[in-house]
Amino acid sequence: MFLFRRNGSRVTVDEAHGRTSGDQPDAVLLDVREKPEWTAGHAPAAVHVPLTELVAGGTLPTEAEGRPLIVICRSGHRSQRAAKLLTERGARAVDVEGGMNAWAAAGHPVVDERGNSGRIA
């Protein structure tokens, strides 16, 4: 299985979880939702940069620079846009089908800003 497929720019939540979790993840999970959504609940290993910041020319956090990116939002729409934007900027980026809604439905962990059990807002 390849992280970045030739025929598309999407991965499943299980692929995303497998590639971004553990001791030595293959990629960075980049959450592009807005701050209130992130605060309510996100994947534990995710890095946060709202899509609005990326569109405005914002840069990636140090831990995401030069690494393969798996982009996630609530449902998958914003992450598609972000992955396209990042790819146009030279990054290796794919997005997660179904977003955090699908992530949570698959039973993958969601935490709030304090590390407690979170929710998808």
Side-chain angles (χ1 to χ4, degrees):
M1 172 175 61
F2 295 102
L3 176 60
F4 300 103
R5 300 177 181 145
R6 292 178 192 180
N7 66 342
S9 59
R10 306 199 90 186
V11 296
T12 67
V13 292
D14 291 334
E15 290 170 315
H17 183 263
R19 297 292 185 161
T20 62
S21 301
D23 293 335
Q24 295 182 331
D26 294 345
V28 173
L29 186 63
L30 183 69
D31 193 319
V32 296
R33 295 174 301 146
E34 294 303 315
K35 179 72 173 169
E37 295 171 290
W38 165 266
T39 300
H42 57 273
V47 174
H48 183 233
V49 178
L51 176 60
T52 52
E53 287 184 25
L54 289 174
V55 169
T59 59
L60 294 171
T62 304
E63 62 265 41
E65 290 179 3
R67 305 252 339 260
L69 303 171
I70 299 180
V71 187
I72 197 164
C73 66
R74 183 173 39 97
S75 64
H77 292 93
R78 287 175 284 180
S79 59
Q80 280 187 299
R81 183 173 174 203
K84 182 176 188 271
L85 175 70
L86 290 163
T87 299
E88 289 170 353
R89 292 182 184 173
R92 293 174 292 161
V94 296
D95 84 291
V96 179
E97 293 177 279
M100 285 300 297
N101 287 333
W103 179 278
H108 298 304
V110 177
V111 296
D112 67 12
E113 66 180 333
R114 294 185 181 113
N116 299 318
S117 182
R119 63 180 177 77
I120 308 307

